Amino acid sequence: MGGPGDPPEGTPPEGGPVGGEDEYRSVVFDESFVRAARLQEYSARERMSDHAPAVRRRPPLRRGLSRQVLVLVLLIAVAFGTAIYMGVRNPYQTPAVRQPVEPLRMTVIPLAPEGEVPGHADVEYLYAHSPAAQYRVGAKGIPLPASRRTAHFSDSQVVSALTTAKDYIVRSSLDPDVLAGDQVRAVRVLLDTDQLDQFDQSFAHPAADGRHAPTGWLVRFDPAEARLADGRIRVQGSLQAAETDSSTLEVTADHTFVYALRAARAGASKEASLFTVRRELHFRFDRDDLRMHTAQLVVSYVQAGPLSCAEDSTNRLHPLLAGQTAKAGGPAGTDPYATGSATALCGSLATSAQPRV
């Protein structure tokens, strides 16, 4: 019987390869065989619980990179490329320098009646016999138009501009507290912050200079002279939005408001009369205004009557009421050599604009 070092069949015959090297070389020492035959010893816990054999076969090692490594390398490459691209084309571009906000340019033209102001005890009768017979009541007379996006502004931004303009018109023309001259904050909060100084100066020191007339910003009556006879103010007009450049939207508003008024003084006539105000307003919006729900009011053109040209309509409107006539005289002369001075204007209120009573 062969010894421990001999092959299983015993000692090879004389002349044969010693130890069976050639016969077992490809099996015992072949590299792929050795890799395939890698064994790993089970742990003591595994052997105790599963009664498994002492060793288990380990999966052969694979050459090259695994799929997970390839995916990881690919993700890193994509992230690196994206970082380079974003660095070259930075989405957080430096915001453009904001254009200066123009001061409001305003014109307030009183319209004097040709004769006595017509009046009637029934407000509905007055409206029914006036050009405002078909006007809608209150904010319903200021509908928003169908809006479409522009080249540089979305639908929602155009709607925001129109809505802000409408809010300004409603608060400055229909709010009872504003009309009575008691409230200005409701209007002020809708203005661009760069116009607040001009707004405040207008009410602190009214002036007929085309820049600082409170009646250019809003409608308000002298509460000592007139009060609303009916809160259902008649309104008709239009709103239009357009893009002026890549950073600016402009809204043009043209509305006519018809108020029923009575004298505020005790003992005065109880008859009501109609007072008409036409306001043409031009609003401007940049992206800051759209975000903050504010507006730049850049043009205000107002015609109002019946008024007396002899009365100053800069701070408050002093309506001529039922049975009254315009006082003689007119605005003071205008010096064309004085810079910053607005031209004094006064118009005549057509008879056809008055109710037929």
Side-chain angles (χ1 to χ4, degrees):
M1 191 170 189
D6 295 335
E9 293 82 2
T11 304
E14 184 177 354
V18 179
E21 291 182 4
D22 290 342
E23 181 177 357
Y24 294 97
R25 183 183 303 276
S26 62
V27 176
V28 178
F29 300 104
D30 181 76
E31 183 178 355
S32 61
F33 176 83
V34 173
R35 288 200 308 271
R38 290 175 65 100
L39 302 177
Q40 180 179 3
E41 184 178 0
Y42 283 86
S43 67
R45 183 182 300 277
E46 290 174 325
R47 293 198 303 271
M48 290 176 64
S49 60
D50 296 334
H51 304 287
V55 295
R56 59 184 172 189
R57 185 179 299 275
R58 297 182 62 186
L61 296 175
R62 296 181 181 178
R63 293 182 178 179
L65 296 174
S66 66
R67 180 177 298 176
Q68 291 84 352
V69 175
L70 287 174
V71 172
L72 179 60
V73 171
L74 180 61
L75 289 176
I76 293 174
V78 171
F80 185 71
T82 301
I84 294 177
Y85 175 79
M86 297 296 281
V88 173
R89 186 176 180 178
N90 183 10
Y92 303 102
Q93 299 178 357
T94 303
V97 177
R98 191 184 189 205
Q99 295 297 322
V101 176
E102 293 183 14
L104 170 61
R105 294 175 285 114
M106 58 183 71
T107 303
V108 180
I109 301 177
L111 301 177
E114 296 180 354
E116 187 177 284
V117 176
H120 199 278
D122 186 354
V123 172
E124 292 299 328
Y125 180 89
L126 283 174
Y127 278 127
H129 291 78
S130 76
Q134 303 302 319
Y135 284 15
R136 303 178 75 178
V137 176
K140 293 181 180 180
I142 314 173
L144 294 180
S147 60
R148 294 183 179 179
R149 62 174 301 145
T150 66
H152 299 92
F153 293 89
S154 66
D155 288 334
S156 62
Q157 289 175 316
V158 174
V159 171
S160 177
L162 289 167
T163 302
T164 303
K166 176 177 178 177
D167 288 347
Y168 185 94
I169 295 168
V170 169
R171 296 187 189 185
S172 63
S173 308
L174 300 175
D175 187 324
D177 292 333
V178 172
L179 297 175
D182 297 331
Q183 177 66 265
V184 298
R185 185 180 181 278
V187 178
R188 187 181 187 274
V189 295
L190 291 177
L191 288 171
D192 186 288
T193 54
D194 288 347
Q195 287 191 314
L196 296 182
D197 286 345
Q198 183 188 5
F199 182 88
D200 295 339
Q201 183 71 16
S202 298
F203 289 88
H205 304 285
D209 59 359
R211 290 289 188 272
H212 300 95
T215 50
W217 296 99
L218 48 81
V219 178
R220 68 174 186 174
F221 304 110
D222 187 338
E225 298 177 4
R227 60 180 177 84
L228 286 176
D230 184 5
R232 295 175 297 171
I233 301 163
R234 303 312 198 260
V235 186
Q236 180 170 286
S238 63
L239 286 168
Q240 293 182 342
E243 177 181 315
T244 55
D245 55 52
S246 60
S247 60
T248 309
L249 276 175
E250 203 166 88
V251 173
T252 303
D254 186 354
H255 293 85
T256 301
F257 304 86
V258 184
Y259 307 86
L261 303 176
R262 281 194 174 96
R265 296 187 302 273
S269 172
K270 298 299 182 182
E271 287 191 339
S273 60
L274 298 186
F275 186 87
T276 304
V277 177
R278 181 175 178 181
R279 303 181 77 197
E280 296 180 35
L281 306 178
H282 291 192
F283 299 92
R284 191 169 293 164
F285 300 85
D286 58 23
R287 286 180 167 78
D288 288 341
D289 292 315
L290 296 174
R291 186 177 64 255
M292 300 300 294
H293 191 61
T294 56
Q296 305 170 33
L297 181 58
V298 294
V299 175
S300 173
Y301 181 81
V302 179
Q303 295 175 312
L307 289 169
S308 176
C309 293
E311 293 284 354
D312 183 8
S313 301
T314 301
N315 187 20
R316 302 176 189 272
L317 299 175
H318 305 273
L320 293 175
L321 303 173
Q324 295 181 337
T325 57
K327 297 178 181 179
T334 300
D335 182 359
Y337 295 95
T339 59
S341 177
T343 301
L345 297 173
C346 185
S348 178
L349 182 63
T351 303
S352 59
Q354 298 277 39
R356 299 183 303 275
V357 297

